[in-house]
Amino acid sequence: MISQKKNSGNAATPDVPVKIGRAHPVTLREVAEAAGVSTATVSLVINQKKNARIADKTRQRVQDAIRQLGYRPNAMAKTLVSGTSRFIGLVADGVATTPFAGQIIHGAQDEAWKHGYALLIANTEGNRDLEKDAIAMMLEYKVRGILYSTWFHRPTDIPETLREADFVLVNCFATEPGAACAVVPDEAQGGHSATQILLNAGHRRIAFINATIPAPAKDGRLQGYKDALAAASIGFDPDLVMEAYPDQEGGYGATEELLKRNVTAVYCYNDRMAMGLYDGLREHGLSIPDDIAVVGFDNQEVIAAHLRPPLSTVSLPHYELGAAGVRMLLGLDEAPNDSAVKIACPTIERASVAAHSPV
């Protein structure tokens, strides 16, 4: 506590008490006194006990007192009584610090609020000890369930403590078949859609620059490429599939080999790779999309929307992954145990592809 008063020289001197900190929360007893009832009656009204014999006028007095005093029920006490809470946990290895993957949190949070739940988020940066502590804390809070997420689509091992709650894997899947519900992006559909953008523009000789790093995305996006060509009655030519490290330097370094393939269009494993390819093609005096059309993958807004010309791409459905994970956890969406639920990757068409007339 600090005391102050103003003297004739407007200087502050100790005298008048000034409270620092917050006021004490309104208690159940204060509500009871204001409503003229017992604390037991207030408790029955707050917990909405249907069989409680409370007159409507009495119930209304209690509700008025709660509103006027600003009383807030003890959520933890209610949790102990009910055995569950209005919280949903989200444990992630790096989603919160990854701009485009952060949409998983956004989608999960919006869907949780829609159904009367709040999200408890723990970003572990891959630290197993921190992850274990975060899950333990969520279990103590008796969360309705836990979403366990990774910032990129990959297989994962399920922490043992996670099995103590209902849980759904988001953007990852268990290495043991049928071990857990999971929701992941449909990489093959995304690869098909990326290739289809180029096919729809009239291109027939289309290269694919894939990643060198093993991942579900690498396999799925290649399969989608093959499927799209097959559906268009175009034979798969393995010579048109190249590999590069999935970043800007990788795309730039692939330019020389790409130009030897005599293609009119190229689909890149991700937007960063496409950004590097843009640089390489310009150094060779080639124009996008007039000389070569380019499509990326991921729809990283800071890249795709701001390249010149803006990049056509396929978006990873991070927002919907988070939202679908919550729905699955709450039993609102079907959750098969034998396979992951795949969420479609939407196309984003921009100016890096133009109509092409096959020779």
Side-chain angles (χ1 to χ4, degrees):
M1 182 181 294
I2 295 175
S3 298
Q4 289 186 337
K5 74 174 183 179
K6 290 184 179 180
N7 60 16
S8 57
N10 293 326
T13 58
D15 187 36
V16 181
V18 176
K19 292 183 179 180
I20 290 181
R22 63 183 184 186
H24 77 279
V26 177
T27 66
L28 201 71
R29 182 177 297 280
E30 288 171 329
V31 174
E33 290 175 353
V37 299
S38 68
T39 55
T41 298
V42 175
S43 180
L44 290 172
V45 172
I46 290 171
N47 291 296
Q48 300 177 347
K49 297 294 184 180
K50 296 180 180 179
N51 298 327
R53 296 180 179 179
I54 302 174
D56 290 342
K57 289 184 178 179
T58 302
R59 190 182 299 273
Q60 187 61 54
R61 287 207 313 276
V62 172
Q63 291 171 342
D64 289 344
I66 288 171
R67 184 175 61 256
Q68 291 166 7
L69 296 175
Y71 174 76
R72 296 182 184 276
N74 187 320
M76 284 305 296
K78 293 181 69 175
T79 293
L80 290 173
V81 172
S82 66
T84 187
S85 71
R86 304 303 290 179
F87 291 116
I88 290 174
L90 189 152
V91 177
D93 64 357
V95 170
T97 54
T98 307
F100 64 100
Q103 284 294 309
I104 289 176
I105 293 176
H106 191 184
Q109 185 170 268
D110 285 353
E111 194 68 24
W113 274 118
K114 189 186 300 183
H115 301 288
Y117 288 87
L119 212 60
L120 290 178
I121 302 166
N123 194 65
T124 67
E125 298 294 341
N127 184 313
R128 283 294 182 177
D129 289 335
L130 179 57
E131 176 182 273
K132 183 178 179 180
D133 290 343
I135 294 173
M137 179 272 291
M138 290 176 182
L139 293 174
E140 289 174 9
Y141 274 81
K142 297 185 182 298
V143 293
R144 171 61 183 80
I146 298 174
L147 304 182
Y148 184 82
S149 182
T150 55
W151 77 270
F152 72 95
H153 181 194
R154 64 177 175 83
T156 189
D157 295 323
I158 301 171
E160 280 304 314
T161 51
L162 194 61
R163 300 178 190 272
E164 297 179 35
D166 291 338
F167 68 95
V168 174
L169 304 180
V170 177
N171 208 32
C172 55
F173 57 94
T175 52
E176 42 201 295
C181 299
V183 54
V184 299
D186 192 337
E187 304 283 4
Q189 170 271 317
H192 187 291
S193 295
T195 309
Q196 194 65 49
I197 293 174
L198 297 167
L199 290 170
N200 290 345
H203 294 278
R204 293 296 177 268
R205 191 164 174 80
I206 302 168
F208 174 40
I209 307 179
N210 205 354
T212 53
I213 301 172
K218 177 182 180 180
D219 299 334
R221 295 175 193 186
L222 174 59
Q223 187 59 53
Y225 167 78
K226 291 179 178 179
D227 292 345
L229 293 178
S233 300
I234 299 174
F236 172 67
D237 182 354
D239 194 47
L240 296 186
V241 177
M242 305 164 53
E243 289 190 356
Y245 193 80
D247 64 4
Q248 185 174 5
E249 291 302 315
Y252 176 81
T255 309
E256 291 285 350
E257 285 300 313
L258 173 72
L259 295 179
K260 296 176 183 177
R261 269 52 172 190
N262 191 31
V263 298
T264 63
V266 57
Y267 148 44
C268 295
Y269 172 83
N270 65 19
D271 295 344
R272 289 179 295 160
M273 187 182 283
M275 179 167 59
L277 182 63
Y278 266 49
D279 295 335
L281 292 175
R282 284 202 183 91
E283 286 189 3
H284 283 80
L286 298 174
S287 172
I288 302 169
D290 297 331
D291 296 315
I292 292 185
V294 180
V295 168
F297 204 113
D298 288 351
N299 191 36
Q300 292 192 39
E301 283 287 335
V302 294
I303 297 174
H306 301 287
L307 289 173
R308 293 292 178 267
L311 178 67
S312 291
T313 186
V314 173
S315 179
L316 281 170
H318 287 115
Y319 181 94
E320 183 56 27
L321 287 174
V326 169
R327 291 195 300 270
M328 196 180 300
L329 188 67
L330 297 177
L332 303 174
D333 283 357
E334 187 176 353
N337 288 322
D338 57 343
S339 62
V341 172
K342 295 181 179 180
I343 304 298
C345 303
T347 55
I348 311 293
E349 299 194 42
R350 299 189 178 97
S352 64
V353 177
H356 174 76
S357 298
V359 178

